Amino acid sequence: MPMPHRTFAAMAKRRLTGKEGKERIREVRALIAELPDYKSGPYADLRKSLLDEIEDTRVRSNAVHRDSIAVRREGAAQIALVGPPNVGKSSILQALSEIQIKTGDYPFTTLRPVPALTRIHGVLVQLVEIPGLIGGAFEDRGGGRALLGVLRSADAIVFCARAGYPPADLETVRNEIDIAGIDKPAILAITRADEAAGDEVDQLRGAFSDLEMVRVSVLDPDSLGGLRDSIWQLTGLIRVYLRTNGSTDDEPAALPLGATVADVAASVHSDLGASFSGARVWGPSAKFEGQKVGREHVVQDTDTVEILS
Ligand SMILES: Nc1nc2c(ncn2[C@@H]2O[C@H](COP(=O)(O)OP(=O)(O)OP(=O)(O)O)[C@@H](O)[C@H]2O)c(=O)[nH]1
Ligand SMILES: [Mg+2]
């Protein structure tokens, strides 16, 4: 004998109270699985309203909130630096860019998201420090909703964990991001690597084995170079050098992996994208230097392309 539908509805309401984002959707799915399988009547209505609830929750999670903070997007990709307080996010931002930012050996040195441009392999990439994410951020603790709002528009995340700090610190932050339904390509930077003991690094590696890991110290230029390379991989972009009238641009254009010659032409000028006849290609995607190719030819990282009109 299934429980009366009103009792089920009341239980559903109770179980969904205080849950948002992924957690709420998970609970709704569990409730649907528990519903008796009637095709019509009050149970069928309940199933319908629970299915609607999944959609509504998604819409709420994606909504831009009233108290949002705007970070103007610049560069070919936007990468967020995310982690618990005092792990060295601002120090990395400073080491990779020209920006002057306050750093300090205490939590909450940075109070608002800070963007900074950095050039990686000749392409401008925007880094944004997202400070102050703490447990309960999704319920707006510490102004968390606006901070998560900024994170939502980023292309990828560098999670920062300081060697010697418990993995739980970053797990808490990741959990809030998860509840908010934010899911982006990500890597893990182990910060203050100059001070890190091997077992501390192993502990973090174990706790975040799903993320590619890179050790970083702002005192070690080689490690910063390694972080740049990892950030570049994370953007998923390729570099294409444009050649016009026999001379090649110094600065590459950044395009998504899988881009064609037609995409290259459109990135120069949308009219050109429609009208050009083909291209010449030098570099990894060319069978031989200066190969003539059609519009659908897929370019590769570090190709040089001359659009033929
Ligand atoms: N030894 C060492 N110290 C570092 C390194 N990176 C940062 N620090 C120090 O760690 C402390 C915290 O650095 P911040 O960059 O302010 O950290 P944050 O994560 O931005 O902190 P909040 O903005 O407060 O969340 C500062 O005293 C830095 O000088 C590093 O690679 N090696
Ligand atoms: Mg900071």
Side-chain angles (χ1 to χ4, degrees):
M1 205 29 209
M3 72 169 82
H5 71 269
R6 282 206 184 79
T7 314
F8 193 101
M11 175 191 75
K13 193 171 168 197
R14 203 170 52 245
R15 277 173 46 185
L16 293 179
T17 303
K19 297 200 172 83
E20 261 309 345
K22 273 194 184 163
E23 204 191 359
R24 188 177 181 91
I25 291 172
R26 219 174 289 133
E27 194 65 61
V28 173
R29 293 227 168 94
L31 285 162
I32 291 173
E34 287 165 36
L35 267 178
D37 195 23
Y38 296 121
K39 298 283 177 274
S40 61
Y43 277 111
D45 293 347
L46 260 173
R47 171 171 295 107
K48 164 99 183 48
S49 74
L50 283 170
L51 286 170
D52 289 347
E53 186 58 44
I54 291 182
E55 190 45 35
D56 291 352
T57 305
R58 288 217 173 96
V59 170
R60 267 203 305 282
S61 296
N62 292 332
V64 178
H65 295 284
R66 181 170 44 80
D67 52 350
S68 64
I69 304 169
V71 173
R72 194 162 61 84
R73 233 189 130 87
E74 288 177 296
Q78 191 183 56
I79 309 293
L81 298 179
V82 174
N86 205 31
V87 295
K89 302 179 294 299
S90 298
S91 302
I92 290 176
L93 202 69
Q94 180 147 296
L96 294 186
S97 72
E98 309 282 299
I99 195 175
Q100 293 299 318
I101 183 172
K102 194 164 153 192
T103 61
D105 206 2
Y106 50 89
F108 306 111
T109 311
T110 315
L111 297 172
R112 292 174 70 82
V114 181
L117 277 172
T118 185
R119 199 174 279 283
I120 307 184
H121 300 326
V123 176
L124 281 176
V125 173
Q126 187 181 41
L127 305 174
V128 185
E129 174 181 1
I130 314 275
L133 281 176
I134 51 173
F138 187 72
E139 275 81 47
D140 207 25
R141 225 177 128 220
R145 282 197 171 235
L147 298 171
L148 289 167
V150 175
L151 188 56
R152 210 178 283 289
S153 62
D155 299 311
I157 299 176
V158 176
F159 284 110
C160 301
R162 177 167 159 179
Y165 275 15
D169 288 1
L170 180 58
E171 273 158 9
T172 305
V173 174
R174 263 190 113 184
N175 191 38
E176 294 299 321
I177 292 170
D178 221 23
I179 296 170
I182 298 171
D183 186 17
K184 316 250 174 205
I187 57 168
L188 175 69
I190 309 267
T191 60
R192 300 184 67 147
D194 51 288
E195 300 173 332
D199 57 338
E200 295 169 347
V201 176
D202 290 345
Q203 201 190 8
L204 289 169
R205 195 200 306 267
F208 302 104
S209 54
D210 59 318
L211 298 172
E212 185 205 309
M213 192 185 91
V214 41
R215 299 169 55 134
V216 191
S217 162
V218 297
L219 307 174
D220 172 10
D222 285 350
S223 77
L224 291 167
L227 177 60
R228 276 177 189 284
D229 287 342
S230 298
I231 291 175
W232 178 254
Q233 295 298 327
L234 202 50
T235 65
L237 295 169
I238 57 169
R239 291 157 288 172
V240 174
Y241 295 87
L242 284 161
R243 185 176 164 122
T244 21
N245 304 326
S247 75
T248 305
D249 290 354
D250 289 339
E251 272 192 33
L255 288 150
L257 195 65
T260 61
V261 163
D263 297 322
V264 176
S267 79
V268 181
H269 199 292
S270 56
D271 291 347
L272 188 58
S275 67
F276 78 105
S277 63
R280 278 186 195 283
V281 181
W282 294 257
S285 85
K287 286 208 192 87
F288 52 89
E289 296 301 288
Q291 185 195 356
K292 229 175 144 181
V293 296
R295 310 171 63 91
E296 298 313 316
H297 176 85
V298 175
V299 291
Q300 286 179 31
D301 193 28
T302 69
D303 271 355
T304 296
V305 174
E306 182 172 28
I307 304 292
L308 304 172
S309 50

